[in-house]
Amino acid sequence: MKKKTINLFLALFIAYSSFSCDSDESKKGRFLLKGNEKMEENDPKSAMGFYREALKIDSTFSEAYFNKALAHNQLNQISESILDLNLAIRYKPGYYEAFFQRGLNYLDNGEFYKAREDASKLIQLDDQNWKSHFLTGLVEEKLKNLPEALKAFEKASQINPENSDLIVNQATILYYIKDYEGSKEILDSAMTLNPMEPNLHNLRSMIYFEEKKYPEAINAVEKAISLDKSQAYFYNNKGLYLLFLDQKEAGLELINQSIKMDPKNPYALRNKGIYYVMRGDRVSALQYLTELNQKYPDMELVAEYLKMAQEL
C-alpha cells in the first residue's frame, strides 16, 4: 500500500509571532520564520539556510531541527532528515510531530522495526491522536500483520472520521486479504466523504481487475489518473489492464512510462514480464520473472506467469 501523503508543511512551526526581548531569541525566531516562508514558496534549499542560521544562535532549537528535517524530505534526503529529527527529539523529548515524521521516514527507509518503536511512542504520548494509530497501521501493514493494521486504521478513522484517506487504507487492507465485497463497501462510504480522492478510484480499479472486469478497471484507474497524474503506479495498473484487454503495445507503453517515473516498483517489472509471456518471448519473460520470484515469492501473478514463461 502506498503510503498516504501527509501535508506536514501545515505543521511548520510558524507560531513564533511573539519573541522575548532577548535579541538572540528574536533573531532565531526570525530565521525560523524566514525559513518557513521559503518552504511555503517551495524553496527547501533556501529554507535550510535560514534554519542553519537559527541553529547557529541556538544549537538546541528543536523546531529548527524539525523544520530543517522537512526541508530534507522535500529534497528526498531521508537519511539527513532522520538525523535532524533525532536532534529535535533529543532537545525536546516529547516532540510528538518529530516522532511521527521520523516514523514515516523510517518506513520510507525500510526500517520497519524502528518505525514501530516510534509508533509505540506516539501511542504513549497521545493515544487520542489519529496519527498515532495511522502510523501504527502503516507499520503493521509493512510487517504483514494485516489484522493489526486494519484495527489501527479503524481506530484512526474513529478519531478522525472525516479523513477519507483513513477509510481508503482500511479498504486496502481488506483488498489484501481478498475481502473484495468488504473493501467495496468501505470505498462506497469513502466516496461520500471525498469522491475526488484518486487512491479511492485506483483501489476500486484493482478490485475490478481481480473480478476480471477489465473495462471497469480501466475506467476507474483513468479517473484516478485524471485526479493525480504524478503517481507511477496508476499508469502501471492501467498498463496491466490493457494487457488483459489484448492491447499489449499500449499496455507496455504505460508500463514503461511507470518504470521511468519509479524504477524501483517491482510490480511494473512484473507487468513487463507478463507482457513478454503474452508475446511468447521466453528469454525476456524469464529475465524479469525469475528474479522477481526470488525476491518477491508472494507477489500476485509472478509464480503463475513464471511457470507459463518456462513452458514457452
Side-chain angles (χ1 to χ4, degrees):
M1 171 165 50
K2 177 83 176 170
K3 179 184 77 184
K4 305 300 180 197
T5 302
I6 302 293
N7 187 5
L8 284 172
F9 297 115
L10 294 177
L12 286 170
F13 284 78
I14 58 175
Y16 261 72
S17 56
S18 60
F19 307 105
S20 71
C21 296
D22 183 274
S23 59
D24 282 350
E25 195 74 11
S26 297
K27 286 179 182 177
K28 76 175 188 181
R30 284 196 296 272
F31 282 126
L32 184 75
L33 289 173
K34 288 179 180 178
N36 293 347
E37 289 170 0
K38 289 298 180 182
M39 289 292 282
E40 291 175 1
E41 295 169 5
N42 197 29
D43 185 0
K45 289 184 178 179
S46 297
M48 279 195 283
F50 286 115
Y51 297 143
R52 290 190 185 100
E53 291 300 320
L55 290 167
K56 287 179 183 178
I57 296 170
D58 181 358
S59 62
T60 69
F61 193 9
S62 292
E63 284 76 10
Y65 285 118
F66 177 79
N67 290 4
K68 184 165 168 280
L70 295 183
H72 280 300
N73 278 354
Q74 187 79 345
L75 295 168
N76 200 31
Q77 298 169 345
I78 305 301
S79 297
E80 292 86 344
S81 178
I82 289 172
L83 291 175
D84 277 335
L85 291 166
N86 291 343
L87 290 168
I89 291 167
R90 175 189 298 178
Y91 297 117
K92 188 177 178 180
Y95 203 156
Y96 184 94
E97 290 295 339
F99 278 109
F100 178 67
Q101 184 59 51
R102 191 174 70 174
L104 293 176
N105 285 357
Y106 280 142
L107 284 177
D108 286 341
N109 251 13
E111 300 177 82
F112 302 146
Y113 288 98
K114 288 184 178 180
R116 178 188 262 178
E117 291 177 6
D118 280 349
S120 296
K121 182 65 176 180
L122 291 179
I123 297 290
Q124 293 173 19
L125 289 171
D126 186 356
D127 66 352
Q128 293 305 303
N129 191 318
W130 68 270
K131 292 181 183 178
S132 304
H133 304 283
F134 173 70
L135 181 60
T136 299
L138 293 177
V139 171
E140 296 305 330
E141 179 214 337
K142 288 294 186 182
L143 293 172
K144 308 300 182 185
N145 299 321
L146 298 184
E148 291 82 357
L150 182 59
K151 289 178 184 177
F153 289 136
E154 287 174 344
K155 179 64 175 177
S157 190
Q158 289 169 7
I159 296 170
N160 186 4
E162 300 303 313
N163 188 328
S164 61
D165 286 348
L166 299 176
I167 299 176
V168 173
N169 282 359
Q170 293 175 60
T172 302
I173 298 297
L174 291 173
Y175 165 81
Y176 286 156
I177 62 177
K178 300 186 184 300
D179 182 357
Y180 301 135
E181 290 305 314
S183 183
K184 284 190 286 188
E185 286 180 13
I186 290 182
L187 287 176
D188 288 341
S189 65
M191 276 288 291
T192 65
L193 286 177
N194 184 9
M196 306 304 285
E197 165 55 52
N199 286 293
L200 184 161
H201 298 283
N202 179 65
L203 179 57
R204 195 181 292 278
S205 82
M206 294 164 65
I207 296 172
Y208 282 137
F209 176 76
E210 294 295 337
E211 295 173 337
K212 303 187 186 305
K213 298 177 180 177
Y214 305 133
E216 292 89 341
I218 288 284
N219 290 336
V221 79
E222 284 179 344
K223 178 65 174 178
I225 292 171
S226 72
L227 293 169
D228 185 353
K229 295 179 173 58
S230 68
Q231 299 298 336
Y233 59 98
F234 293 172
Y235 297 98
N236 181 52
N237 284 349
K238 184 178 178 182
L240 176 66
Y241 308 154
L242 287 172
L243 294 183
F244 280 80
L245 284 170
D246 200 28
Q247 299 179 41
K248 298 182 183 65
E249 299 311 315
L252 178 63
E253 183 177 346
L254 285 170
I255 293 165
N256 285 335
Q257 178 180 344
S258 176
I259 291 172
K260 287 180 182 178
M261 296 170 70
D262 180 9
K264 297 181 181 179
N265 182 3
Y267 288 92
L269 301 177
R270 177 203 67 181
N271 293 349
K272 199 160 183 177
I274 291 172
Y275 164 83
Y276 285 119
V277 171
M278 291 180 171
R279 277 296 178 202
D281 186 340
R282 182 178 189 274
V283 173
S284 297
L286 289 175
Q287 178 184 346
Y288 285 95
L289 297 172
T290 302
E291 184 176 354
L292 284 171
N293 191 55
Q294 294 170 351
K295 290 184 176 179
Y296 309 99
D298 297 327
M299 184 183 291
E300 295 283 343
L301 299 178
V302 170
E304 176 185 350
Y305 276 85
L306 175 60
K307 182 179 179 181
M308 292 169 65
Q310 292 168 337
E311 293 173 351
L312 286 174

